[in-house]
Amino acid sequence: MSSKSKPPTSVVTGAAGFLGSHLTDLLVARGHKVIGIDNFVTGSVDNIAHLGGNPNFKFIQQDVTEFIFLEGPVDYVWHFASPASPIDYLELPIQTLKVGSLGTHKALGLAKEKKARFLIASTSEIYGDPLIHPQPEEYWGNVNTIGPRGCYDEAKRFAEALTMAYRREHKVQTRIVRIFNTYGPRMRINDGRVVPAFISQALKNKPVTVFGQGTQTRSFCYVSDLIEGIYRLMMSKYDLPVNIGNPTEMTMRQFAGQIIHATHSKSKIIFKPLPQDDPKQRKPDITKAKKILKWEPKVKLADGLKDTIAYFRTKV
Ligand code: UDP
């Protein structure tokens, strides 16, 4: 690790993505030098364009499943590269498996080489279609390995296992965050996830497509809350998985109504088939994050949606 007088150096994989770019902004604001890596498979240059010319940000266009060579010291490696929406990993199943496995291997190798601390962006998807509700970190999950979501779920499960192996075998300092549904500006409008889908449909006064009967639940965390929790986890001493998310749970039918209301839309709700293996319920148990990180979400859904809707208005 570099001495206290020097600014820390962070490497962020997936820096041009939704979460990676918000994390990069927070790190730069907190005095880190950031090296962002992305291959733009699902990331976008628009998300990092504002950092162009900033002396504390350097960008490398690279697929992180290939060997990552960097000169100079690195203090923190944040591994965020991955397709992350159900449509993305349906379209990119092999890239999803590769970045979760080979990409995690390369990012861990970099952390080992540089004696840097490593954090893996894991996911609530490792709990699959959960049989325990809400989900605590101790729950081992209910995943269909061969279903359409298996490529993402199993890649992230492998990533967690590899992270623990590097901790045990190579003594790399590691952190594992399990990220629950998150929303905010810079989500891709057409990534198929429920937040961009509902908001863009509502803004265009088009039917809002609720899958199944809309009784399935999710719990949405605003991106600034999430990134703060992840930062605290990296800086903490805790090296087992921690859920970060907002426990305010709702059905997708309710959520559609809220979006229509918040956008003052004329849209009607229509029902479409439920995708295979769509989890019926999801809500983080955040007892650990509260206790260990002194963290809990602050942004209310109505406030977070306001900013998110304003962002999507510029995109539809
Ligand atoms: N969903 C929906 N309509 C859409 C997109 C998604 O009803 O147009 C539902 C989806 O079936 C799931 C929930 O919204 O139950 C969240 O889906 P998302 O793709 O955002 O992510 P997930 O939480 O399933 O990974």
Side-chain angles (χ1 to χ4, degrees):
M1 309 285 267
S2 62
S3 71
K4 279 228 164 80
S5 56
K6 271 205 194 155
T9 298
S10 275
V11 171
V12 177
T13 75
F18 166 45
L19 297 183
S21 67
H22 283 286
L23 172 65
T24 297
D25 285 345
L26 180 110
L27 293 172
V28 169
R30 297 203 174 157
H32 288 230
K33 286 191 171 294
V34 178
I35 302 168
I37 308 179
D38 207 296
N39 63 352
F40 297 122
V41 164
T42 56
S44 163
V45 74
D46 293 348
N47 292 339
I48 49 170
H50 60 284
L51 291 164
N54 187 322
N56 291 324
F57 180 69
K58 190 176 143 190
F59 182 74
I60 299 170
Q61 184 169 350
Q62 194 197 311
D63 178 344
V64 293
T65 64
E66 309 283 347
F67 187 85
I68 305 169
F69 176 78
L70 296 176
E71 275 174 1
V74 174
D75 302 290
Y76 302 101
V77 176
W78 313 72
H79 183 39
F80 276 66
S82 178
S85 85
I87 283 194
D88 287 342
Y89 40 81
L90 261 185
E91 281 171 6
L92 306 164
I94 295 172
Q95 270 138 309
T96 302
L97 278 156
K98 282 177 74 180
V99 76
S101 54
L102 305 180
T104 304
H105 181 230
K106 299 300 175 291
L108 275 162
L110 176 70
K112 172 172 168 255
E113 160 74 20
K114 301 289 187 182
K115 300 192 169 36
R117 196 178 288 175
F118 174 88
L119 181 143
I120 175 74
S122 185
T123 167
S124 56
E125 278 286 323
I126 68 115
Y127 301 122
D129 189 0
L131 305 177
I132 289 192
H133 194 71
Q135 294 77 54
E137 289 84 350
E138 289 75 22
Y139 180 47
W140 289 356
N142 177 38
V143 170
N144 176 9
T145 56
I146 58 167
R149 302 169 83 105
C151 59
Y152 184 64
D153 303 11
E154 293 301 336
K156 291 293 190 181
R157 289 168 71 97
F158 176 88
E160 288 197 9
L162 192 64
T163 299
M164 292 304 282
Y166 265 66
R167 177 166 84 77
R168 294 189 179 112
E169 180 82 16
H170 294 312
K171 313 296 176 210
V172 174
Q173 289 187 49
T174 58
R175 304 288 180 265
I176 298 174
V177 59
R178 292 187 181 148
I179 298 171
F180 283 67
N181 291 69
T182 305
Y183 70 101
R186 302 186 193 159
M187 294 187 94
R188 258 178 31 247
I189 194 149
N190 58 352
D191 83 354
R193 280 190 278 196
V194 71
V195 174
F198 283 3
I199 294 178
S200 59
Q201 290 161 348
L203 287 176
K204 292 188 263 186
N205 293 310
K206 295 232 171 97
V208 170
T209 54
V210 169
F211 295 164
Q213 304 194 331
T215 52
Q216 69 275 31
T217 67
R218 295 293 186 272
S219 314
F220 298 100
C221 186
Y222 191 61
V223 63
S224 61
D225 278 336
L226 182 97
I227 298 296
E228 177 62 33
I230 291 173
Y231 181 84
R232 288 192 195 187
L233 176 61
M234 179 67 115
M235 299 306 155
S236 79
K237 292 194 168 72
Y238 193 74
D239 57 12
L240 292 176
V242 177
N243 291 336
I244 298 284
N246 189 321
T248 310
E249 183 186 13
M250 67 188 63
T251 67
M252 291 308 95
R253 177 84 175 68
Q254 285 173 323
F255 189 54
Q258 179 149 2
I259 297 284
I260 290 171
H261 177 76
T263 49
H264 312 290
S265 171
K266 296 186 182 64
S267 294
K268 297 270 169 292
I269 291 173
I270 58 166
F271 295 91
K272 295 252 177 159
L274 189 67
Q276 191 193 329
D277 297 341
D278 197 287
K280 286 183 262 319
Q281 51 183 359
R282 185 184 285 153
K283 168 182 171 166
D285 179 331
I286 58 164
T287 310
K288 277 208 172 59
K290 280 184 174 165
K291 197 165 157 223
I292 297 163
L293 311 177
K294 308 274 177 278
W295 175 89
E296 61 183 313
K298 292 196 165 66
V299 181
K300 294 204 168 57
L301 185 61
D303 296 331
L305 282 180
K306 225 179 258 171
D307 287 357
T308 311
I309 290 165
Y311 172 79
F312 281 120
R313 272 191 208 283
T314 69
K315 300 281 167 189
V316 289

